């Protein structure tokens, strides 16, 4: 399935499959980004800071949100570019063992003034369990008009 600009309905929602966060995921993100802060690598240090153990990087959670959305294959043929993320809030820490999912809602759309494409806005939330909000953000994308 691929949504084109004309297919996007403001107010429609999508939910991704769940994903379990592992210590290996967190360690891989450390290696990839070269961010080895002890909150992400040292269980005793993280506990001394008031966390139940090591926590994932907030940016890992944000990147995972995009990856989980991609698994929905909403823009398989229609995506042109991400135009950015706004209002990103890291609400709660992400822990190894957390099972998370993304809920997204289309909140706005408009045609691009500079090219034959549309700009869509999504409210995106990373959730643990039923309603435990971990990250909230707004994502703006440029997508193709229907062929």
């Amino acid at each position: 399935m691929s949504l084109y600009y004309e297919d996007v309905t403001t107010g429609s929602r999508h939910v991704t499959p769940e994903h379990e966060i592992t210590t290996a995921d967190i360690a891989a993100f450390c290696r990839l980004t070269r961010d080895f802060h002890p909150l992400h690598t040292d269980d005793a240090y993280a506990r001394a800071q008031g966390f139940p153990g090591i926590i994932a990087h907030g940016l890992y959670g944000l990147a995972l949100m995009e990856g989980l959305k991609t698994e929905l294959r909403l823009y398989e043929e229609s995506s042109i570019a991400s135009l950015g993320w706004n209002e990103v809030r890291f609400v709660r820490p992400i822990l190894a063992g957390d099972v998370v999912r993304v809920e997204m809602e289309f909140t706005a759309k408009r045609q691009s003034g500079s090219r034959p494409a549309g700009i869509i806005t999504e409210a995106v939330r990373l959730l643990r369990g039923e309603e435990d909000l971990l990250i909230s953000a707004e994502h703006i994308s440029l997508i193709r008009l229907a062929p």
Side-chain angles (χ1 to χ4, degrees):
M1 169 175 79
S2 199
L3 294 177
Y4 291 88
Y5 174 76
E6 296 84 353
D7 301 322
V8 172
T9 303
T10 302
S12 65
R13 297 176 182 205
H14 299 273
V15 179
T16 71
E18 293 181 329
H19 172 77
E20 183 174 355
I21 307 296
T22 67
T23 54
D25 291 339
I26 297 168
F29 197 81
C30 288
R31 284 189 302 279
L32 181 65
T33 61
R34 302 177 54 82
D35 179 352
F36 292 96
H37 189 280
L39 281 173
H40 313 303
T41 60
D42 184 333
D43 198 61
Y45 178 87
R47 288 179 191 279
Q49 305 314 308
F51 297 103
I54 64 167
I55 61 172
H57 309 67
L59 292 175
Y60 167 72
L62 188 64
L64 180 63
M65 290 166 72
E66 183 62 21
L68 289 172
K69 284 190 329 140
T70 300
E71 288 182 351
L72 292 174
R73 302 179 76 160
L74 296 176
Y75 313 115
E76 195 79 358
E77 304 289 325
S78 59
S79 177
I80 297 172
S82 171
L83 299 179
W85 292 81
N86 300 321
E87 305 297 323
V88 176
R89 296 293 175 265
F90 302 128
V91 179
R92 288 186 181 81
I94 302 169
L95 310 169
D98 282 352
V99 177
V100 300
R101 72 182 184 289
V102 168
E103 291 182 358
M104 62 166 281
E105 177 182 350
F106 293 114
T107 57
K109 65 185 263 189
R110 66 179 174 83
Q111 286 206 281
S112 171
S114 62
R115 61 191 311 179
I119 297 171
I120 58 170
T121 304
E122 309 160 344
V124 188
R125 303 178 334 143
L126 184 68
L127 298 164
R128 169 179 52 217
E130 287 304 309
E131 290 299 322
D132 197 7
L133 179 63
L134 303 176
I135 300 175
S136 65
E138 176 184 81
H139 184 232
I140 314 295
S141 293
L142 185 67
I143 64 171
R144 297 183 196 292
L145 302 179

